[in-house]
Amino acid sequence: MEINNIGTNAGVIWNLLNENGKLTETKLKKESGLAGAEFFAALGWLAREGKINVVVEEKGSKSCEYYTLNA
């Protein structure tokens, strides 16, 4: 993983969330094309800047986590 690419990868995730509203981790990984450390480093970048939220929605007996942008 290139350290210099973390900000670029964070931009990819931010753009996906901006276009789609909310996405699950699985969908966000798939759409971004990022995996492993690159994906989580980019999420960490956005979290550190206060740009994302994790929203938990209850669906019956299951819960689902979504990533969204801060307003």
Side-chain angles (χ1 to χ4, degrees), residues 7-44:
T8 301
N9 294 341
V12 169
I13 291 174
W14 189 93
N15 285 323
L16 285 168
L17 292 172
N18 188 49
E19 293 169 5
N20 296 288
K22 65 181 181 181
L23 293 170
T24 63
E25 180 180 317
T26 303
K27 183 75 170 174
L28 196 52
K29 279 183 179 178
K30 181 179 177 184
E31 295 294 320
S32 70
L34 302 173
E38 291 179 324
F39 178 77
F40 290 108
L43 282 181

Side-chain angles (χ1 to χ4, degrees), residues 52-69:
I52 60 170
N53 288 316
V54 178
V55 177
V56 179
E57 291 183 2
E58 301 296 327
K59 293 184 177 183
S61 62
K62 295 182 181 180
S63 62
C64 189
E65 292 184 355
Y66 294 94
Y67 289 94
T68 64
L69 293 178

